[in-house]
Amino acid sequence: MTTTSTIHLLQTTRKLVVEVIDARDLLPKDGQGSSSPYVIADFDGQRKRTSTKFRDLNPLWNEKLEFIVTDPKTMDAEELEIDVFNDKKMGSGGGSSRKNHFLGRVKLYGTQFVKRGEEGLIYFPLEKKSVFSWIKGEIGLRIYYYDEIDEQKTEGEPPQEKEAVTQVVEAKRSPVMMVREEDRYSPEIPMPSETAQEMAEPPPIVIIEESPPPATVQVEHRHNIPPNESFPPAGPTQTEPSHFPPEVRKMQTCGVGSGERVTTERVRVLRRSNGEYAPRVITAKFTGENERISAYDLVEPMQYLFIRIVKARGLLANESPYVKIHTGSYNVRSKHATHRPGEPSGNPEWHQVFALGYNRPDTASVTLEIAVWDGASEAFLGGVCFDLSDVPVRDPPDSPLAPQWYRLEGGGEDQHSGRVSGDIQLSVWIGTQADDAFPESWSSDSPYVSHTRSKVYQSPKLWYLRVTVIEAQDLHFSSQPPPPATVPDVRMKAQLGFQSIRTRRATSNHGSSFFWNEDYVFVASEPLEDELIILVEDRTSKEAVLLGHVVVALNSIEQRVDERPVASKWLVLEGGGGGGGGGGGSYCGRINLRLCLEGGYHVLDEAAHLSSDFRPTAKQLWKPPIGILELGILGARGLLPMKTKSGGKGATDAYCVAKYGKKWVRTRTVTDSFDPRWNEQYTWQVYDPCTVLTIGVFDNWRMFADITEEKPDRRIGKVRIRVSTLESNKVYTNSYPLLVLLRSGLKKMGEIEVAVRFACPSLLPDTCAIYGQPLLPRMHYLRPLGVAQQEALRGAAIKMVAAWLGRSEPPLGQEVVKCMLDADSHTWSMRKSKANWFRIMAVLGWAVGLARWLDDIRRWRNSVTTVLVHVLYLVLVWFPELIVPTGFLYVFLVGVWYYRFRPKIPAGMDIRLSQAEMVDPDELDEELDTMPSTMPADIIRARYDRLRTLAARIQTVLGDFATQGERLQALVSWRDPRATRLFIGVCLMVAVVLYVVPHKMVAVALGFYFLRHPMFREPMPPASLNFFRRLPSLSDRLI
């Protein structure tokens, strides 16, 4: 007799939901001033369409389109295309063409999808299919995904097959196994050009993975993607090959046949205008015995001897044993062991990794000694010796080396006396800083592990909170009402954390309602756990009286990503201190507020001209990245001592911080070194090339501070590199000076050596289109923020970022964050004012040069040139249609000429442009002073007088500009009757002459008169200029 059994198989399916809500302002294309639109959505080879709305330029669909995500792991790389067409079958002239009219499209990527519950209605502008398309309008979409769990039942299987089915289920629950043939790491670039498809296909990736049916084998051709940075592929599905343009391939190929790596292209400096303060090219050494190419191709490989101490067993009676490691000049000691509950004292555990500097020629014949000692009695419990010539070498693509058990040994007397017994589990290998065990290891050049590890940080997600105060009603005032003619001074105060604002005095209709209609913006940080406190106060008397308050949780406030209106809400006030109501919790009136979290803005925490990111807060609005920025932090040279240690010896414990976008990186701290070598490499996704990478070097003081003591890290120097100044797929390896402005003047603290590469297709359409798009998100232009308001919000954002990063381990101090974000960029500085003035003069220098050239032509300094200018002028006058193309051709030739003088390396800090060479010490002291000032009164008075002198000069220049404009107005304003009569009479004569005489003859006469020989000129100013200078202005009316 056979029995049946039921097996429940759980299957998780991810579904993508596209809600097509409506469209606005579509283009009429049916020939009758309208369109019959419908929408087609294409995702992962699945195509679905909506219904057709008959003759409607603002259609409303409210339809859901569901797609199945075949591989949730690669969803971020998938592309969703939304196309809008005009259905010609619904129109009268539907048979005139075979294809429906194209009304626009929207392309979205998986990185813009959000989970169900986080979605919002977003209006995307419709894009063109080609340059010659005429498209307008926008479409409203709500896109999200969710995971659906399906339960399948399998019945009727005999008992003898139950075991086999169980094995199948267990096999499906087993982890995915991947077999990869590793190739050289190459960043994946979105939307490759057509020429890139001609490259040879990379080695295949064989993936054996779980699937709802029986296990299958999929062969996919793709490049190796770094674990932290990925890009959407070119095609709409994951199975299409993704390649790189030829310039990327050429940059990252290696000489396999010769066994040597092809040296990366370097750049050279033709001249150094700033002397020793200018960046210079350095020669990096990227050579090694290993031919395998690692992801660390911008830095020098540094070899380390890794020792992983796991645990021991069978030791003699002991208390808190520890391990001593000795090799060459290194003699280090592990932490005390720990014991699992219930385990004997002879089975301690350490789980600690050591990374000791390793140099193969010097340590070829050195042994490694690992000994176990008792922490209480300092008794020797056994040891192990290794010959370093037999230690294996591990490269980053290899799996971690498995620890093994080694028998503990001792001296002859120890072994016979029975004082040594047991085994120790450890592994020893030779690797580089690319090893996955290096970041958490105890390094020989960074012994203070808790404060010296290299870390990656993420800035918090910041929102703008918009608070619109509309009105308040039913407020309860004190028992002594104000006089009838007096309107109470009612104000509203809002607090969010350390941010606080107060409204102006409310207006009243002599009733119970008070109106403000004021708009305020705060900065909020995720997780949205803070509360917004609204206080309504009566400030009629000297002391403010609380009329009521309300507390609003930020996580309950509506989020929006566009300019759609948000409904206002009435909130009940509680706990007022006035009459009419008693204690806390009583009704004290109500207030009408409109609250929303703005996801369409970019919360600026950097200066706008130095920003590294312009993406909006809402992830749904992010565009796909256009490339990868790779930074190799090689090291520093010639650092100055920043502190004194025992014996009065100067020392520097330097680490480097780099910031781009939301990602911060921090290298390990190299202790007691004036020439630290970090050799760490990091990558960032680039969404906009017109951004700035900031690199700073600091001296670590926190690792020497106590828990209750705060020792801020000291700044050594900072460098900025603009991404748009980097050639695509080219490595720049340069040394930049580290400059600091002190009260004594400019000081060079050393040099930092970095290698940077912007991996991006050279002229991909997406890359070029970035330059024609707005710099900031759309909401900044629809509802712009004021300059003063934006600067205040930036200060609040900096405080939030500093507080967030200060809670990390190791923390990034507040002084480090403020330095990297240029928190003091808006403060007054006489030096910066001079620098900006000379920048303006440099911009206007071309106009001055043109005026000088024309003056030389007029004075016939070079007769041949003047004659040629006469001929060119005659040609342009007789053929005026050549003027515009000739001007553009001249600009093109100027650009080609200046190509010879293009910058060869990314520029660093310019001391001449910054006016830091010969700066007055008192001006520097004023620039570095705190706010409010802590200087004596006489110094502040002197600075104030100097500022008044400078302001007087600016006042004079502004008055001169106003005078010239008022003289232009005086030509026809009859302020001077005789001058106006002369001017309008001359205008009439000129009009008559121009009507009678051909314009070409007039132009030739005026041109030749302007270029006449000096012998026909008078040395005095012309009559027209004298006439203009005699016109009246309004300066004589000033008091």
Side-chain angles (χ1 to χ4, degrees), residues 539-557:
R539 306 183 68 88
T540 306
S541 59
K542 294 183 178 180
E543 295 183 0
V545 178
L546 180 63
L547 301 180
H549 76 277
V550 63
V551 178
V552 182
L554 292 185
N555 52 19
S556 65
I557 298 178

Side-chain angles (χ1 to χ4, degrees), residues 799-812:
K799 291 183 180 180
M800 289 186 176
V801 173
W804 176 272
L805 298 179
R807 294 194 294 266
S808 306
E809 183 61 34
L812 271 183

Side-chain angles (χ1 to χ4, degrees), residues 9 16 112 121 163 275 423 486 516 911 919 986 995:
L9 301 179
L16 177 68
Q112 299 173 262
L121 177 59
E163 182 179 356
D423 304 315
T486 304
W516 289 279
I911 60 172
V919 60
V986 171
Y995 275 121

Side-chain angles (χ1 to χ4, degrees), residues 103 131 299 303 346 443 486 497 602 698 700 720 757 793 809 816 839 847 1022:
L103 297 180
V131 179
V299 296
Q303 289 191 331
S443 179
T486 304
H602 169 69
F698 301 89
N700 198 331
R720 301 190 195 98
R757 174 173 58 202
L793 293 174
E809 183 61 34
V816 175
R839 286 171 59 195

Side-chain angles (χ1 to χ4, degrees), residues 210-280:
E210 175 188 355
S211 60
T216 59
V217 178
Q218 301 177 358
V219 180
E220 300 182 0
H221 297 272
R222 70 177 88 160
H223 281 276
N224 297 329
I225 304 176
N228 295 330
E229 304 290 345
S230 62
F231 281 87
T237 63
Q238 187 64 26
T239 58
E240 297 185 7
S242 177
H243 301 289
F244 304 106
E247 58 268 24
V248 180
R249 178 183 58 183
K250 179 180 178 181
M251 172 191 65
Q252 297 184 346
T253 54
C254 63
V256 179
S258 60
E260 298 179 358
R261 297 185 65 175
V262 179
T263 57
T264 314
E265 182 183 359
R266 306 295 176 213
V267 293
R268 299 184 181 278
V269 181
L270 297 180
R271 57 183 180 180
R272 299 172 64 193
S273 58
N274 291 328
E276 63 174 346
Y277 300 111
R280 58 185 178 86

Side-chain angles (χ1 to χ4, degrees), residues 518-537:
E518 297 181 13
D519 201 11
Y520 298 95
V521 180
F522 295 89
V523 179
S525 172
E526 285 193 356
L528 302 173
E529 299 175 349
D530 294 337
E531 294 179 339
L532 175 67
I533 303 175
I534 305 295
L535 306 174
V536 180
E537 300 175 340

Side-chain angles (χ1 to χ4, degrees), residues 194-386:
E194 296 180 1
T195 58
Q197 303 294 336
E198 300 176 2
M199 297 172 52
E201 293 186 357
I205 299 175
V206 182
I207 303 178
I208 304 175
E209 59 183 6
E210 175 188 355
S211 60
T216 59
V217 178
Q218 301 177 358
V219 180
E220 300 182 0
H221 297 272
R222 70 177 88 160
H223 281 276
N224 297 329
I225 304 176
N228 295 330
E229 304 290 345
S230 62
F231 281 87
T237 63
Q238 187 64 26
T239 58
E240 297 185 7
S242 177
H243 301 289
F244 304 106
E247 58 268 24
V248 180
R249 178 183 58 183
K250 179 180 178 181
M251 172 191 65
Q252 297 184 346
T253 54
C254 63
V256 179
S258 60
E260 298 179 358
R261 297 185 65 175
V262 179
T263 57
T264 314
E265 182 183 359
R266 306 295 176 213
V267 293
R268 299 184 181 278
V269 181
L270 297 180
R271 57 183 180 180
R272 299 172 64 193
S273 58
N274 291 328
E276 63 174 346
Y277 300 111
R280 58 185 178 86
V281 178
I282 60 176
T283 303
K285 301 177 182 179
F286 301 147
T287 59
E289 299 179 3
N290 185 13
E291 295 181 3
R292 188 188 298 271
I293 301 172
S294 66
Y296 282 65
D297 58 343
L298 296 183
V299 296
E300 304 171 5
M302 300 175 64
Q303 289 191 331
Y304 289 89
L305 176 64
F306 289 90
I307 303 101
R308 182 189 296 275
I309 309 296
V310 183
K311 57 185 177 180
R313 66 185 179 187
L315 298 182
L316 296 179
N318 60 82
E319 184 179 351
S320 300
Y322 63 91
V323 178
K324 282 186 178 180
I325 300 176
H326 175 73
T327 176
S329 59
Y330 298 112
N331 193 355
V332 298
R333 172 176 171 172
S334 74
K335 62 183 180 181
H336 288 283
T338 59
H339 296 82
R340 291 186 178 181
E343 290 286 336
S345 61
N347 297 341
E349 295 183 1
W350 290 277
H351 297 286
Q352 192 172 3
V353 181
F354 298 87
L356 308 179
Y358 178 80
N359 190 355
R360 185 176 294 272
D362 297 340
T363 59
S365 59
V366 177
T367 59
L368 170 64
E369 300 177 3
I370 301 176
V372 183
W373 294 79
D374 188 3
S377 61
E378 294 295 333
F380 178 70
L381 301 179
V384 182
C385 292
F386 295 88

